[in-house]
Amino acid sequence: MNDAERVRLPQRRRLKMDGSPEAVPFYPHEFVQRQSSIGVTDPSALPLENLAVEDLDPIQRIRIRNAIKKYGGDQSLLPLADEDLDGALGLTVTINGKRHPTVAGLLLLGNERQLRQHLPSHEVAFQVLRGTDVLVNEFYRKPLLETFEEVELLFRARVEEEEIQIGLFRVPIPNFDRRAFREAFVNALVHRDYSALGAVHVRLDDDGLSISNPGGFVEGVNLDNLLVADPRSRNPLLADIIKRIGLAERTGRGIDRIFEGMLRYGRTAPDYSMSSAYTVAVRMSAADADAEFLRMIVQREEQTGTAMPIDSLIILSRLRNERRLRTTDLVRSVQKPETVVRGTLEKLVEAGMVEAHSTGKGRTYTLSAKVYQGAGQKAAYVRQAGFDPIQQEQMVLNFIDTHGSIKRADVIELCHISPDQAYKLLARLKKKGLIKQAGERKGAIYERPR
């Protein structure tokens, strides 16, 4: 393309690698991508006038009906005749008295030859790696439900479970949560950009499970609001069909299922950090589950009769891994205002799962003594909960007696407290006449009076 042709193209602005803006050509194929990303058009609802409904695979309708029964979908769809089912789901539209499939209809009712010809971007890859060895490397261009069933079968064959006794029940602990996989895989199929070439990739390796799809997050959704953004799809019709079939969470909060499927077993949260403007990628760790953490969650759910909220799971998981945190430390993970996070923390305190230390801005939280005792980690609780004010004072005085003086940074490290708490502790000791200050601000040291 020469400069004259480049000038005639519409321009769009983007950021370069160094963060500075630049103007680049806005190519025709990017129009549909941009329109679907901001919700102006629905690519999955576009009719395919060069295909007639008679060309479609009737077996796939049977598959849809079976899926509705299996996954608890919209039961009112089952008595409908084929033509009415197609219309109710939006699989076909009538143009000039003749029925034609929509893009969503082709994805669900088309055969492999039609999909290759009319929707060449549709492809799914399933891979299993052990070290550098590729054990499984399958590619699919079949209709959506058939592809989902075959990939899920390959995945389920690699799910291993152990069980723990909790009360009267035996609770399974899988190496990969099936519901989390299903929601993540369905999300990739439904929300991918079908105007862009590239496969939906499902990969199992030594480190865990990863699922990726072409097309970045839709407008308004990013890593910082993934848990709280209003549900939106690049392909609204396709998303609605999958929900009505029962394959996806009807509330549109499938992301919650993915997080729950990781966090309740004491594993780290799913990682979306490898996503970009062109790809959404999620990584689910294969780390060993924490049976005692799961026991705590299940016991609490039995007491309340409800599932543990995602906000609470996120907070408990971070406290398990990082031991002591402030409210502000948790805001970004929960993705809600500080007041909401503080409210959730106080509910966990009331439930006896979390303990609060100090007050005001210096208030910190740890898992409770009961939680550590249940896990047989009483010493760990003592280390994380810290010491009472009298013990802290004695520790500071012992440090000064041994080393001659102490700095505020030493107090923070010694007593595992915040800078504000260290300041108040030293002020208290000065007021009692047990120490004196030499120097000011960062250069201040504290000694015994002579």
Side-chain angles (χ1 to χ4, degrees):
M1 179 181 295
N2 58 42
D3 291 341
E5 291 173 320
R6 189 179 300 277
V7 168
R8 285 198 297 268
L9 284 171
Q11 303 284 298
R12 66 181 177 90
R13 292 176 68 80
R14 72 177 182 187
L15 293 179
K16 294 189 288 187
M17 293 296 291
D18 62 3
S20 61
E22 67 174 342
V24 296
F26 197 3
Y27 295 102
H29 73 273
E30 295 178 315
F31 292 168
V32 174
Q33 294 173 348
R34 177 60 180 162
Q35 288 177 323
S36 64
S37 178
I38 64 177
V40 174
T41 62
D42 180 356
S44 65
L46 297 175
L48 299 170
E49 296 187 47
N50 52 353
L51 273 177
V53 69
E54 293 78 18
D55 300 328
L56 302 175
D57 184 358
I59 294 176
Q60 300 306 322
R61 287 194 190 87
I62 298 173
R63 199 180 297 277
I64 289 174
R65 295 180 189 277
N66 289 338
I68 292 171
K69 296 174 186 175
K70 179 178 180 181
Y71 300 113
D74 186 347
Q75 301 299 303
S76 66
L77 295 169
L78 292 175
L80 299 180
D82 287 350
E83 183 174 343
D84 294 331
L85 177 69
D86 292 351
L89 287 175
L91 300 172
T92 62
V93 293
T94 301
I95 301 174
N96 297 326
K98 190 163 185 178
R99 292 166 60 217
H100 300 276
T102 58
V103 171
L106 175 62
L107 280 165
L108 287 154
L109 298 177
N111 58 44
E112 190 170 348
R113 177 185 58 79
Q114 292 165 340
L115 285 162
R116 285 179 178 273
Q117 180 179 351
H118 298 282
L119 202 61
S121 59
H122 170 54
E123 185 176 33
V124 176
F126 181 87
Q127 298 173 313
V128 179
L129 285 70
R130 289 292 177 267
T132 56
D133 296 329
V134 180
L135 305 185
V136 179
N137 193 31
E138 298 289 342
F139 287 80
Y140 298 89
R141 292 181 178 271
K142 298 180 180 181
L144 220 56
L145 284 181
E146 188 173 351
T147 297
F148 172 81
E149 290 170 359
E150 294 195 15
V151 170
E152 187 185 40
L153 194 63
L154 289 172
F155 168 77
R156 289 172 69 93
R158 285 156 180 86
V159 174
E160 301 172 358
E161 288 184 351
E162 57 179 290
E163 292 185 338
I164 61 171
Q165 189 76 33
I166 302 179
L168 300 176
F169 304 98
R170 294 194 66 79
V171 178
I173 303 179
N175 56 341
F176 295 107
D177 185 78
R178 293 186 180 91
R179 285 201 310 176
F181 163 78
R182 190 173 88 179
E183 291 294 342
F185 183 39
V186 169
N187 278 353
L189 294 173
V190 169
H191 302 307
R192 69 152 291 171
D193 184 352
Y194 281 98
S195 67
L197 292 175
V200 169
H201 282 273
V202 179
R203 187 176 71 182
L204 284 162
D205 58 29
D206 298 330
D207 297 321
L209 166 68
S210 61
I211 299 175
S212 64
N213 62 265
F217 293 119
V218 296
E219 189 86 0
V221 179
N222 55 57
L223 293 176
D224 294 326
N225 69 1
L226 192 57
L227 286 164
V228 295
D230 291 335
R232 295 184 59 190
S233 176
R234 182 176 276 104
N235 306 294
L237 175 61
L238 180 59
D240 182 65
I241 292 169
I242 294 300
K243 288 175 191 173
R244 295 185 69 186
I245 290 173
L247 202 58
E249 176 65 36
R250 293 190 189 184
T251 63
R253 301 307 311 165
I255 187 73
D256 291 356
R257 298 292 189 198
I258 300 171
F259 271 72
E260 179 189 27
M262 295 296 293
L263 296 176
R264 69 183 289 106
Y265 298 104
R267 298 187 174 107
T268 56
D271 180 9
Y272 284 85
S273 63
M274 295 302 292
S275 300
S276 68
Y278 308 101
T279 303
V280 172
V282 59
R283 181 81 182 166
M284 291 178 258
S285 170
D288 292 338
D290 184 334
E292 293 306 324
F293 187 87
L294 174 62
R295 191 187 305 277
M296 173 184 70
I297 301 301
V298 172
Q299 288 174 342
R300 179 60 184 169
E301 290 175 338
E302 288 178 350
Q303 291 170 5
T304 61
T306 59
M308 179 73 71
I310 293 300
D311 292 1
S312 298
L313 282 174
I314 292 171
I315 289 171
L316 291 170
S317 175
R318 284 205 59 190
L319 287 175
R320 170 189 174 272
N321 293 322
E322 298 173 59
R323 308 305 187 188
R324 179 188 288 267
L325 295 167
R326 297 171 299 172
T327 306
T328 51
D329 298 325
L330 293 158
V331 168
R332 187 170 183 182
S333 295
V334 178
Q335 298 184 357
K336 290 183 180 177
E338 186 174 339
T339 53
V340 175
V341 176
R342 186 178 296 111
T344 302
L345 278 163
E346 294 306 324
K347 288 178 182 177
L348 290 170
V349 170
E350 291 172 10
M353 304 177 80
V354 166
E355 286 184 9
H357 307 274
S358 190
T359 58
K361 292 184 178 180
R363 192 172 179 83
T364 59
Y365 297 87
T366 65
L367 293 180
S368 69
K370 181 175 70 174
V371 171
Y372 279 104
Q373 288 166 1
Q377 298 178 358
K378 296 179 182 179
Y381 168 74
V382 172
R383 287 196 300 271
Q384 303 316 319
F387 308 91
D388 63 36
I390 295 176
Q391 289 174 306
Q392 290 172 346
E393 290 179 7
Q394 192 58 52
M395 290 167 67
V396 170
L397 295 175
N398 289 341
F399 186 98
I400 295 174
D401 291 341
T402 303
H403 301 285
S405 65
I406 195 169
K407 295 181 179 179
R408 187 160 62 142
D410 298 324
V411 177
I412 293 169
E413 183 179 356
L414 179 68
C415 300
H416 300 286
I417 55 179
S418 69
D420 184 59
Q421 290 171 319
Y423 173 82
K424 291 177 180 177
L425 171 56
L426 291 166
R428 196 163 61 244
L429 288 169
K430 282 197 299 180
K431 187 175 181 180
K432 291 180 179 180
L434 297 174
I435 63 173
K436 66 175 184 177
Q437 179 177 340
E440 296 293 333
R441 298 182 179 175
K442 291 184 179 181
I445 62 171
Y446 301 85
E447 305 168 324
R448 286 282 209 172
R450 295 191 184 275

